[in-house]
Amino acid sequence: MKLIRKNLDEIDIFIQTINIFNMLKKISLGLVLFACSFTVKAQEIVMDTTALTILDNMSQIFGSMNSVGFDSHISRDIAFSNEVLVKEFVKNEIKIKGPNKFVTRIHGENREELYKYNGNQVFYYSLNTNRYAVADAPDNIVETMDWLYTDFGIEFTAGDILYPNFSKDLAENMDHIQFLGVVNLDGKRTFHILARNEIISVQFWITDGIYMFPDKIVMTYLDVDNHPQYEIRFSNWEVNHEYPESIFEFDPPPASKQITWITEN
């Protein structure tokens, strides 16, 4: 997706963050992981109940939070030629405060960018060009992220992963969901889960702990030549921190130039 911005060189902007749907809904965390799993098969559809329960626990934990912060390290395959893919790397620092605030600092290979949302407006700032943009926004995170995607093409990848109904929606859109076992990932015990359909496969590594946070997600696009991959690693989780209101506000830096956001539609 591309955000069309007047007088801005960095047209192809990629953002990664987590869109926590219904963040302030207090959902019980009393689900218990099944000690053993079983699968239900019908017309090649496989739904592993252990995998779904793990994902459901993760989603409900996020649904119960008032705020969350984390870092994400992203690598994605970019088409260099018809037969060659090259890697692009991005690091994001993210703070989200429900129901209507977030800030994202993006460290790309050739760009440094900042997005802020204070409940009324969304701010964009490029540290490379010293340019910024401001737009009025809806009054909550869910509608704001939907609006950014619909009107501007800004896609918050993994935005539909961490919300209370995620496991149900995943089951409706995938043909195969399977618990692959408990694996050690960089010294951490994690649950390895595979979900796939004809066009994409998604692997999850979910931390086995009090907070069942995702540690790693790998997406493989099966319907695209060379099957490009998109990988996210998560770290530095913060739960229910009291973030100061000031971090969600934006003051234009000296000598910065304001630009205009133009909708795609």
Side-chain angles (χ1 to χ4, degrees), residues 142-196:
V142 175
E143 292 184 14
T144 295
M145 289 191 174
D146 286 344
W147 165 70
L148 288 170
Y149 174 75
T150 302
D151 284 13
F152 300 107
I154 300 177
E155 182 176 6
F156 292 83
T157 302
D160 291 341
I161 290 177
L162 302 179
Y163 65 101
N165 293 326
F166 170 66
S167 59
K168 177 178 179 292
D169 293 345
L170 185 71
E172 291 177 354
N173 288 279
M174 294 292 175
D175 299 325
H176 185 110
I177 300 176
Q178 182 178 357
F179 175 57
L180 299 181
V182 177
V183 300
N184 187 299
L185 187 64
D186 296 335
K188 289 178 286 187
R189 177 182 164 95
T190 63
F191 301 117
H192 189 193
I193 295 170
L194 170 68
R196 62 174 173 82

Side-chain angles (χ1 to χ4, degrees), residues 113-142:
E113 297 170 335
L114 183 69
Y115 280 84
K116 292 190 174 189
Y117 168 58
N118 65 3
N120 298 303
Q121 294 179 311
V122 172
F123 309 94
Y124 164 80
Y125 176 62
S126 169
L127 284 77
N128 300 86
T129 64
N130 201 23
R131 294 174 175 174
Y132 71 94
V134 182
D136 293 334
D139 62 359
N140 62 82
I141 292 173
V142 175

Side-chain angles (χ1 to χ4, degrees), residues 8-244:
L8 184 62
D9 295 333
E10 299 89 348
I11 293 296
D12 187 11
I13 296 298
F14 172 79
I15 304 174
Q16 188 281 328
T17 189
I18 298 296
N19 180 6
I20 302 180
F21 285 86
N22 303 319
M23 184 182 291
L24 295 183
K25 289 185 178 179
K26 301 301 180 181
I27 299 173
S28 171
L29 304 182
L31 294 179
V32 180
L33 289 177
F34 295 151
C36 59
S37 68
F38 62 91
T39 58
V40 179
K41 298 185 179 181
Q43 297 180 351
E44 299 182 355
I45 294 178
V46 177
M47 296 293 150
D48 188 318
T49 57
T50 294
L52 292 174
T53 304
I54 293 169
L55 292 169
D56 194 39
N57 272 268
M58 177 191 70
S59 301
Q60 293 194 40
I61 288 172
F62 277 89
S64 71
M65 291 180 182
N66 295 325
S67 69
V68 65
F70 57 91
D71 294 344
S72 67
H73 295 261
I74 301 165
S75 69
R76 62 170 179 165
D77 292 328
I78 305 296
F80 179 76
S81 66
N82 291 337
E83 298 180 354
V84 178
L85 299 174
V86 296
K87 292 286 188 183
E88 180 186 64
F89 298 93
V90 179
K91 177 188 175 183
N92 296 318
E93 301 172 55
I94 300 158
K95 313 290 184 189
I96 300 175
K97 181 178 180 179
N100 60 356
K101 291 177 176 62
F102 67 75
V103 57
T104 302
R105 175 70 182 266
I106 302 171
H107 307 273
E109 293 181 356
N110 300 301
R111 69 179 191 270
E112 290 284 329
E113 297 170 335
L114 183 69
Y115 280 84
K116 292 190 174 189
Y117 168 58
N118 65 3
N120 298 303
Q121 294 179 311
V122 172
F123 309 94
Y124 164 80
Y125 176 62
S126 169
L127 284 77
N128 300 86
T129 64
N130 201 23
R131 294 174 175 174
Y132 71 94
V134 182
D136 293 334
D139 62 359
N140 62 82
I141 292 173
V142 175
E143 292 184 14
T144 295
M145 289 191 174
D146 286 344
W147 165 70
L148 288 170
Y149 174 75
T150 302
D151 284 13
F152 300 107
I154 300 177
E155 182 176 6
F156 292 83
T157 302
D160 291 341
I161 290 177
L162 302 179
Y163 65 101
N165 293 326
F166 170 66
S167 59
K168 177 178 179 292
D169 293 345
L170 185 71
E172 291 177 354
N173 288 279
M174 294 292 175
D175 299 325
H176 185 110
I177 300 176
Q178 182 178 357
F179 175 57
L180 299 181
V182 177
V183 300
N184 187 299
L185 187 64
D186 296 335
K188 289 178 286 187
R189 177 182 164 95
T190 63
F191 301 117
H192 189 193
I193 295 170
L194 170 68
R196 62 174 173 82
N197 56 28
E198 292 183 354
I199 64 174
I200 191 171
S201 73
V202 186
Q203 296 181 73
F204 304 89
W205 286 263
I206 310 300
T207 302
D208 178 15
I210 296 174
Y211 292 111
M212 298 180 65
F213 290 142
D215 189 272
K216 179 179 178 179
I217 299 173
V218 175
M219 291 171 277
T220 304
Y221 297 93
L222 306 176
D223 63 335
V224 179
D225 290 343
N226 301 319
H227 302 321
Q229 287 192 330
Y230 186 102
E231 177 179 316
I232 310 169
R233 294 296 304 265
F234 300 93
S235 62
N236 298 328
W237 290 96
E238 299 173 344
V239 178
N240 290 336
H241 280 215
E242 291 293 332
Y243 297 124

